Amino acid sequence: MPRALLLENIDPVAVELLSSAGYEVESLRGALDEADLAAALDGVHLLGIRSKTQVTRAVLERHPGLAAVGAFCIGTNQIDLVAAAAAGVAVFNAPYSNTRSVVELAIAEIISLARRLVDRDRALHAGTWDKSAAGSHEIRGRTLGIVGYGNIGSQLSVLAEALGMRVLFYDLEDKLALGNAEACGSLEELLERAETVTLHVDGRAGNAGLFGAEQFARMRRRSLFLNLSRGFVVDHEALREHILSGHIAGAAVDVFPDEPREQGDAFSSVLRGLSNVILTPHVGGSTQEAQYDIGRFVAGKLADYTRNGTTTLSVNLPAVALHGSSAARFALLHRNVPGVLARADALIGEHGLNVDGQVLATRGDLGYVVTDVNGDLPPAVLASLRALPETVRLTTFAQRP
Ligand SMILES: NC(=O)c1ccc[n+]([C@@H]2O[C@H](COP(=O)([O-])OP(=O)(O)OC[C@H]3O[C@@H](n4cnc5c(N)ncnc54)[C@H](O)[C@@H]3O)[C@@H](O)[C@H]2O)c1
């Protein structure tokens, strides 16, 4: 029975899905360091991790039997993706599973900031009855400016409109405006028109310091600011100054330039202790629903990949979406150079087999071709395909997909 090893307390739904796909699954609560991981991977075909386990080139090179790694999270920085591709190890993650969780936190924070809930709550816990409407607002009719109209930004747009907000957005790319949302031609335009500005840009290097003194100064007086995207995007000193000056009436920050590594580690930030500022420890996407969905999504991708060769949404292999077939199937991951496909097809033909179907995709210097043939593949054909100098990995599918 093929084996799957899941680390870092992955949701039990992943164990269920992989077990029913025919894997013997071992699930551990913690992460493993490089040496322990290298030892634990003997005989393992699928590895599931979250953000703490490092999958290095050395680990990948030591385990040629490893077929795929599931990152049961959003980020994949913890995996050497280049080494994984070179070793023919497919990597999958869960890019959308926590989108809704981030959006709901943003909505909660927009309302909390507009009502100054944090200050009211702190005062009452401290024993002070401070009942007043001063500085409290409804969000209905207010203008929300969304910077970065991707998965999260666009879903936030829909929910914010449902709550009666007017939505403006700014994105580097031309994006379809959902509902009545209006695209702004520049970030400056958005800052000048919105009453609440929320950042949902991606983590590209060029976004470092995107938001600093100049951008805060351009925002409307007494507007609100949220960042649930990446910590390095915002200059927190500048944010602090604009909150202390009263120009910014409140802020919610979920992501920080330097985040503590471990649970319980000390946290320091110039934003601590400020009035009407909500600080959360990067929990935008952290809900039980998101964890369940991540487990379901990534385990499903791993199961599909090993069942029929589908690589859709793999972060490092060419993308091929496949349906079931009654033919015998093999997948050849190869170096993307001229003539490989012709050589592979010639080998099949020499053994009297006919190609029933074939799908090819390429990505950089890798090609991935999945072939259905009209009969079982003799070991000699498989050995010849494996021996092609361009072959990175040959996978056959034991069951008819
Ligand atoms: N707080 C959390 O727990 C949490 C959870 C999930 C995702 N995130 C972060 O949220 C952010 C958005 O995630 P997503 O899934 O919507 O990403 P996405 O890739 O779908 O969308 C990002 C959008 O930002 C746009 N963009 C990039 N740079 C820009 C710029 N300088 N100005 C304007 N637009 C710009 C892109 O064109 C894209 O449309 C990411 O940084 C992600 O890491 C945070």
Side-chain angles (χ1 to χ4, degrees):
M1 207 179 203
R3 288 176 55 209
L5 173 66
L6 303 183
L7 304 177
E8 304 188 56
N9 202 20
I10 288 167
D11 193 279
V13 70
V15 179
E16 274 169 44
L17 279 169
L18 291 174
S19 301
S20 54
Y23 283 86
E24 180 191 324
V25 185
E26 183 182 5
S27 181
L28 305 180
R29 286 192 71 77
L32 294 178
D33 64 22
E34 188 173 2
D36 289 343
L37 179 63
L41 282 179
D42 283 339
V44 167
H45 301 88
L46 299 181
L47 170 67
I49 59 166
R50 290 171 67 184
S51 56
K52 291 201 173 70
T53 304
Q54 299 293 319
V55 182
T56 60
R57 178 178 290 274
V59 165
L60 290 161
E61 284 176 353
R62 190 172 143 179
H63 291 284
L66 187 67
V69 176
F72 286 76
C73 50
I74 316 302
T76 50
N77 296 343
Q78 71 281 36
I79 303 164
D80 186 331
L81 294 178
V82 175
V89 175
V91 178
F92 296 93
N93 68 339
Y96 316 122
S97 294
N98 63 11
T99 300
R100 176 68 185 218
S101 300
V102 180
V103 170
E104 289 194 11
L105 183 61
I107 292 282
E109 291 181 335
I110 291 166
I111 296 174
S112 300
L113 293 175
R115 299 296 291 270
R116 304 191 71 87
L117 279 193
V118 178
D119 289 352
R120 301 276 184 270
D121 179 66
R122 272 188 204 144
L124 214 50
H125 275 287
T128 304
W129 186 262
D130 178 19
K131 179 175 159 63
S132 156
S136 281
H137 299 278
E138 292 184 353
I139 62 163
R140 177 174 49 168
R142 299 229 142 208
T143 304
L144 176 65
I146 300 173
V147 184
Y149 205 64
N151 298 315
I152 294 173
S154 57
Q155 186 161 162
L156 176 60
S157 167
V158 172
L159 293 200
E161 267 195 8
L163 289 166
M165 299 192 85
R166 277 196 302 268
V167 176
L168 306 174
F169 69 87
Y170 170 68
D171 199 290
L172 293 178
E173 292 173 17
D174 258 342
K175 294 281 175 147
L176 172 69
L178 300 180
N180 300 314
E182 188 190 332
C184 291
S186 66
L187 178 60
E188 289 70 31
E189 180 193 341
L190 179 139
L191 299 181
E192 284 162 12
R193 293 176 61 194
E195 292 158 306
T196 297
V197 172
T198 183
L199 304 188
H200 300 286
V201 295
D202 55 46
R204 69 185 72 189
N207 281 339
L210 174 71
F211 230 83
E214 189 188 328
Q215 288 69 31
F216 287 119
R218 228 178 236 273
M219 283 171 65
R220 291 172 59 154
R221 198 178 140 63
R222 304 301 292 160
S223 51
L224 301 171
F225 174 80
L226 293 89
N227 182 20
L228 292 91
S229 63
R230 296 293 180 104
F232 67 82
V233 169
V234 177
D235 177 347
H236 284 185
E237 284 285 357
L239 175 57
R240 176 187 163 84
E241 279 166 26
H242 283 83
I243 288 168
L244 289 176
S245 75
H247 185 72
I248 302 294
V253 180
D254 186 47
V255 286
F256 301 87
D258 294 307
E259 298 185 356
R261 280 185 63 78
E262 301 292 334
Q263 191 80 343
D265 279 359
F267 166 71
S268 66
S269 165
V270 294
L271 301 176
R272 280 179 55 194
L274 296 179
S275 172
N276 208 27
V277 171
I278 301 171
L279 301 181
T280 44
H282 204 146
V283 290
S286 302
T287 62
Q288 293 191 7
E289 288 77 6
Q291 288 310 315
Y292 174 87
D293 201 67
I294 288 170
R296 178 198 66 74
F297 187 90
V298 179
K301 292 281 168 236
L302 292 172
D304 281 354
Y305 174 60
T306 54
R307 189 170 52 231
N308 64 20
T310 290
T311 48
T312 310
L313 290 183
S314 164
V315 296
N316 66 335
L317 294 195
V320 159
L322 295 152
H323 300 292
S325 156
S326 59
R329 175 172 288 177
F330 71 90
L332 184 69
L333 185 68
H334 56 272
R335 289 195 296 112
N336 183 19
V337 293
V340 182
L341 209 55
R343 279 195 284 283
D345 287 351
L347 279 171
I348 297 162
E350 280 165 21
H351 287 79
L353 289 165
N354 193 39
V355 172
D356 277 355
Q358 195 159 48
V359 188
L360 168 75
T362 60
R363 181 173 187 159
D365 56 5
L366 276 183
Y368 183 64
V369 61
V370 181
T371 306
D372 288 351
V373 290
N374 67 337
D376 285 334
L377 289 150
V381 181
L382 297 176
S384 308
L385 288 166
R386 269 199 189 94
L388 288 174
E390 298 87 1
T391 296
V392 175
R393 181 181 289 257
L394 178 77
T395 310
T396 54
F397 298 93
Q399 293 168 330
R400 297 286 191 258

